[in-house]
Amino acid sequence: MSGRAKLTLFAALATLLTSWSLSPLVDSQAWLLQAGLLLIVQSAVGAGARRVPLARTLTVAAQVLVSLLLLAFLYAGKGESQGDGPLAYLVTDFGALFGQGVRDVGEFAIPAPLTDGIKLLLVSGVLLIGLLVDLLAVTVRTAAAAGLPLLALYSVAAGLSGGGDASWIAFLLAGCGYLMLLLSEGRDRLAQWGRVFGAAPRRGAADSGLAGATGGQATAPVKFGRRIGVVALGLALAVPAVLPSLGGGLLGGTQDGDESGSGPGGTITAVNPLVSLQSNLNAQDNRVILRYRTNNPQQSEQYLRILALDEFNGVKWEASGRALVDVPEQLPEPPGLGSPVRGTAAEVSTSIVAADNYTQRYLPMPYPATSVAIGGKWRFEPAGRTLVGDQLGRDKFQNVQGAEYTVRSLLLKPTAQQLQKAGVPDPAIREEYTKFPDNLPLVVAETARQVTQGAKDDYSRAVKLQDYFAVNGGFRYNTKTASGTGPQAVARFLADKEGFCVHFAFSMAAMSRSLGIPARVAVGFTPGEKQSDGSVTVSMRDAHAWPELYFQGVGWTRFEPTPRAGINIPEYSRPQAPAAQPSAPAPLPSQGAAQPSTGPTATPECPPALKKLGECGAAAPAQNAPHDDGPSVTSILGWVALATTVLGLPLLPLLWRTRLRARRLATREVLTAWRELGDTAWDVGVVPDEALSPRRAASRIVELGRLEPEPAAAVHRVAGAVERALYAPPGAEVSYPELADDVLLARTGLLAAVDRLPRLRALLLPRSAARISWALTARWATASGAVSARATALRLRLPLRNRG
């Protein structure tokens, strides 16, 4: 096989190995075989075109044409064709399937089902990267540059998949593929020059040119290249394992963490659901995901709550890390619930059945639940009063899929008077749930004060905020509004007055905190739709987000600022006189967009966008992760060691010169001290001249170093001592007690005579450090000469032994 043919083969192999990093994005790897076969055909077409030979542009055009024909042949007819005839079958239908794949990518969460559209995107992407690698490595003959498209493919795959247990395998495969491509290209280049420069072959070895060795053994450069590749990959895999982790990124919790948690029961975290909520609000599908029966007389007020987002940093709302415990037989009393409200509460029972395609890990329940009867492994998070699926095995977790469970909960009936007379919140609750970040625009707090002007208690302020959004503020409900999580998102929403439930819930909670009212955001489902048989169905568009405000004696209380049709505001927050339900002053969206909510879109395996919310299985962002109690001792020590190393590297030359100077002057030898003086002058820019006598060299140092009289006299005294040591009669002793002092005095004068930057250069980057390189080169030459001499002697002896 020729060198170019090998290069073509390794280019295709590098692309295929790197494409393995895409496998975590979908739930099946069947597409890899098809991509590999098409990649081989594409590479073969390129190899044949180059052998003809064709121009580079024609070679690439031939590869593109054949690839497109193969893709059209394989995927035509699988999309929704809008016409008749071969053109519609091969072109229109093919383009429709490509567009469907783009929509599927936005609809499904990772790992997505391998639909025909997603499969087409994956295979087409691999073929495109393979074409670029083939073009750069084989056609243009720059294999190193071919690493760029390979890196792009790996980076996109790694970024979307979020790493995982198999991420190191994908990195290893991609790295090996690229290194093999470089090795193949290097050997091909060397073959064009003839024999590889390396160790001489043994006697009788065939002159194989590129091989350059007997018995199939690689020559020195090839062995050396392989060793470099192995060491580089080993370091790339090992170094990140020993370095301390950087923790969560900007979105926090979007990476797969330690699901088992730490401490008693582990912990749980969740991420900002803003993006996934908007995806669900605009979803076309509206399949039923929950069915339940309840004896609640106020079924229209029974929300099914999933989790609470209680941490606000100005950029996003998220669920803070909380410790998980075993599910108690009787759940503890809700925080803040007082006897007057508890005495009027009724306990109701709700039996819920989850659909088989609903696989989130959070258990939807009425709030506040008092007991839960459910099979499987579940854990309880007391602060948010949520149940979370426990870990069942490697990358496998308990979820709601197909579960049948019964929840007993309290039907609380607080009155407006009770909320108005609520006492001062518990200090711990107030401190945690009124945290207000400094990076939030001032307009948020100012608007909150203006809207609640005249209110004398927290309840009245909360009702005014709710009415501002839902009734008299001029806000419109629109699921097409661009979502955002930056510090300006709330301010932009207040200015535009248009958004969906997340905007309303997030903004009211943030404004409540600015007024000193403890607040958080709950995510779950509205009550659903009652059926003729008495059961209630909850579909994806019944999902919702709402603010919860804390009142001492009542606890966490739901408010409803979203002006959406079909949503009832709580009775305790309505005007005292009977009034119609609030609605948006501006026209609402079409019926198709009026019912959407924050809920999950369902797939055969999981509501896709809810995986991004963190409510699905092992791939969900909302998962167990170590409770953030601060960095561990190991992390602190690791970071201290890393910082010490990084900060100490620039100081190594300074430390080396200081140590060397002390050792030289400690010997009290004149010639050694003279060398130190010469290196000091070299550091400030006076290049040494070995051809000069000590007296001429001293004059040169004084002149170029612009020394003052006292340091100049010290230099001349050291030079005079050198002359006496060199030319004194044999056996004569040269006594010079002030030798070290004169050298240090001369050094001080040399440093003082230069500007600040040259002085820093002399201290931190001394020019005399070149002596290290000289010493290492000399030692290497000596060692190499010794090894070469021994090898030569051995080769000369071996034939004599063979003859005997």
Side-chain angles (χ1 to χ4, degrees):
M1 183 182 296
S2 66
R4 176 162 286 190
K6 291 181 180 179
L7 194 57
T8 303
L9 177 61
F10 280 107
L13 182 60
T15 304
L16 191 59
L17 290 177
T18 306
S19 65
W20 173 261
S21 58
L22 295 169
S23 58
L25 303 182
V26 289
D27 57 7
S28 174
Q29 281 71 52
W31 65 275
L32 274 172
L33 178 60
Q34 187 177 91
L37 293 175
L38 294 182
L39 188 62
I40 291 175
V41 174
Q42 178 180 269
S43 300
V45 171
R50 284 186 290 266
R51 191 174 182 84
V52 169
L54 294 178
R56 292 179 177 180
T57 54
L58 294 179
T59 300
V60 175
Q63 291 177 285
V64 171
L65 178 61
V66 172
S67 299
L68 289 177
L69 289 176
L70 289 175
L71 288 174
F73 177 79
L74 291 173
Y75 290 95
K78 295 184 178 181
E80 298 179 359
S81 180
Q82 302 298 324
D84 299 324
L87 184 62
Y89 182 81
L90 292 175
V91 179
T92 307
D93 188 72
F94 179 73
L97 184 61
F98 195 92
Q100 182 60 45
V102 175
R103 290 190 293 273
D104 289 343
V105 169
E107 181 75 13
F108 295 108
I110 297 171
L114 188 61
T115 64
D116 289 331
I118 293 179
K119 187 176 181 180
L120 173 61
L121 292 181
L122 290 173
V123 174
S124 301
V126 171
L127 289 179
L128 176 61
I129 296 298
L131 179 64
L132 293 175
V133 172
D134 187 86
L135 171 64
L136 294 172
V138 188
T139 304
V140 185
R141 304 302 294 260
T142 56
L148 294 177
L150 293 175
L151 177 62
L153 176 62
Y154 175 79
S155 300
V156 170
L160 291 176
S161 63
D165 293 336
S167 60
W168 69 271
I169 300 179
F171 173 80
L172 184 63
L173 291 176
C176 287
Y178 181 53
L179 288 177
M180 286 190 294
L181 176 61
L182 292 179
L183 181 61
S184 176
E185 193 243 14
R187 295 182 66 170
D188 183 51
R189 288 182 181 274
L190 288 173
Q192 298 177 22
W193 287 85
R195 182 185 300 276
V196 175
F197 298 110
R202 294 183 180 179
R203 187 167 181 172
D207 185 7
S208 57
L210 179 61
T214 58
Q217 298 296 321
T219 55
V222 177
K223 290 182 179 179
F224 193 64
R226 291 174 182 172
R227 291 168 186 169
I228 290 177
V230 172
V231 171
L233 284 176
L235 289 176
L237 292 172
V239 169
V242 301
L243 288 178
S245 173
L246 291 176
L250 175 64
L251 293 180
T254 58
Q255 308 292 329
D256 287 331
D258 181 8
E259 297 288 354
S260 61
S262 61
T267 61
I268 181 170
T269 61
V271 299
N272 184 353
L274 186 59
V275 176
S276 61
L277 291 181
Q278 186 173 22
S279 175
N280 291 313
L281 292 173
N282 293 292
Q284 299 298 320
D285 196 1
N286 191 33
R287 67 187 66 181
V288 173
I289 54 177
L290 295 172
R291 295 180 183 272
Y292 69 89
R293 293 180 179 273
T294 183
N295 59 1
N296 189 341
Q298 298 179 352
Q299 181 270 326
S300 61
E301 302 255 344
Q302 178 166 287
Y303 281 48
L304 298 181
R305 187 170 170 278
I306 295 176
L307 79 162
L309 309 178
D310 54 8
E311 191 172 282
F312 180 49
N313 60 11
V315 176
K316 61 182 182 297
W317 284 86
E318 60 183 358
S320 57
R322 301 286 186 181
L324 299 177
V325 299
D326 293 334
V327 181
E329 183 175 347
Q330 191 72 20
L331 301 184
E333 282 290 310
L337 182 60
S339 300
V341 178
R342 181 68 173 86
T344 60
E347 190 172 57
V348 297
S349 177
T350 305
S351 299
I352 306 174
V353 179
D356 291 336
N357 54 20
Y358 188 44
T359 58
Q360 66 157 333
R361 288 180 54 207
Y362 290 98
L363 192 68
M365 300 185 300
Y367 183 87
T370 57
S371 65
V372 183
I374 186 173
K377 296 182 63 177
W378 296 87
R379 307 304 294 270
F380 178 62
E381 192 274 286
R385 301 184 67 84
T386 58
L387 261 65
V388 187
D390 201 1
Q391 188 168 10
L392 302 177
R394 183 180 178 86
D395 297 332
K396 186 178 181 181
F397 300 87
Q398 180 70 56
N399 58 53
V400 189
Q401 185 177 20
E404 299 182 12
Y405 57 100
T406 300
V407 181
R408 300 191 67 83
S409 59
L410 294 177
L411 176 59
L412 301 179
K413 302 176 182 179
T415 64
Q417 291 75 17
Q418 289 174 324
L419 290 168
Q420 193 170 13
K421 297 179 180 179
V424 178
D426 181 86
I429 296 291
R430 176 182 287 274
E431 180 181 2
E432 180 176 1
Y433 293 98
T434 58
K435 292 180 180 178
F436 193 72
D438 297 333
N439 62 341
L440 204 66
L442 295 177
V443 67
V444 178
E446 293 176 355
T447 303
R449 287 194 296 268
Q450 293 174 3
V451 170
T452 60
Q453 188 175 6
K456 298 180 180 180
D457 54 79
D458 287 347
Y459 166 75
S460 300
R461 296 186 186 96
V463 172
K464 283 197 171 187
L465 286 178
Q466 175 182 267
D467 292 345
Y468 170 67
F469 289 111
V471 179
N472 53 35
F475 287 85
R476 293 183 67 251
Y477 183 84
N478 185 4
T479 62
K480 302 298 183 180
T481 303
S483 60
T485 58
Q488 300 295 328
V490 177
R492 186 166 53 251
F493 168 66
L494 294 177
D496 297 342
K497 295 191 174 185
E498 189 174 65
F500 50 99
C501 59
V502 171
H503 292 94
F504 293 97
F506 284 12
S507 299
M508 180 172 175
M511 295 170 73
S512 298
R513 286 196 175 190
S514 71
L515 298 172
I517 306 175
R520 64 188 184 187
V521 176
V523 177
F525 300 94
T526 53
E529 184 177 351
K530 195 167 186 177
Q531 306 299 309
S532 58
D533 60 355
S535 65
V536 182
T537 60
V538 177
S539 62
M540 293 182 300
R541 293 181 188 167
D542 289 318
H544 189 49
W546 62 91
E548 291 182 340
L549 276 58
Y550 182 87
F551 293 91
Q552 192 66 30
V554 181
W556 289 105
T557 308
R558 176 178 65 88
F559 284 81
E560 190 53 77
T562 304
R564 197 183 93 186
I567 292 183
N568 297 327
I569 66 173
E571 183 177 354
Y572 47 77
S573 65
R574 298 174 186 173
Q576 298 301 311
Q581 295 298 328
S583 59
L588 293 176
S590 62
Q591 183 66 24
Q595 295 299 327
S597 69
T598 63
T601 53
T603 70
E605 295 194 0
C606 175
L610 216 62
K611 281 191 175 182
K612 304 174 186 175
L613 169 60
E615 300 166 10
C616 295
Q623 64 217 1
N624 291 352
H627 187 56
D628 188 10
D629 287 328
S632 64
V633 176
T634 305
S635 297
I636 293 176
L637 293 178
W639 280 114
V640 169
L642 181 61
T644 302
T645 302
V646 172
L647 295 177
L649 284 177
L651 301 178
L652 286 180
L654 173 63
L655 298 176
W656 169 77
R657 284 292 290 124
T658 303
R659 176 61 177 165
L660 180 63
R661 183 181 309 109
R663 290 178 58 186
R664 284 174 171 176
L665 298 181
T667 62
R668 296 183 178 275
E669 295 180 4
V670 176
L671 296 181
T672 304
W674 175 250
R675 178 177 297 179
E676 171 58 28
L677 180 57
D679 286 350
T680 301
W682 188 8
D683 292 340
V684 297
V686 182
V687 181
D689 188 351
E690 302 294 342
L692 299 178
S693 65
R695 185 171 303 180
R696 291 290 304 276
S699 300
R700 183 169 179 268
I701 291 175
V702 170
E703 180 183 355
L704 297 181
R706 302 189 301 275
L707 292 180
E708 297 293 333
E710 189 175 356
V715 173
H716 285 297
R717 285 195 296 269
V718 176
V722 172
E723 290 181 341
R724 290 194 299 272
L726 292 175
Y727 306 116
E733 293 185 3
V734 179
S735 177
Y736 191 0
E738 299 82 17
L739 177 63
D741 294 337
D742 282 345
V743 173
L744 294 177
L745 178 59
R747 177 176 180 272
T748 302
L750 288 169
L751 292 176
V754 296
D755 297 331
R756 180 178 298 177
L757 290 180
R759 188 184 310 127
L760 290 176
R761 161 77 187 272
L763 293 174
L764 300 178
L765 296 173
R767 295 175 174 85
S768 59
R771 294 191 184 278
I772 300 177
S773 176
W774 296 349
L776 292 177
T777 302
R779 292 183 182 181
W780 175 258
T782 302
S784 300
V787 172
S788 179
R790 290 186 180 181
T792 302
L794 181 61
R795 285 198 299 270
L796 292 175
R797 287 198 299 268
L798 285 177
L800 296 177
R801 292 183 181 179
N802 292 336
R803 291 173 187 174

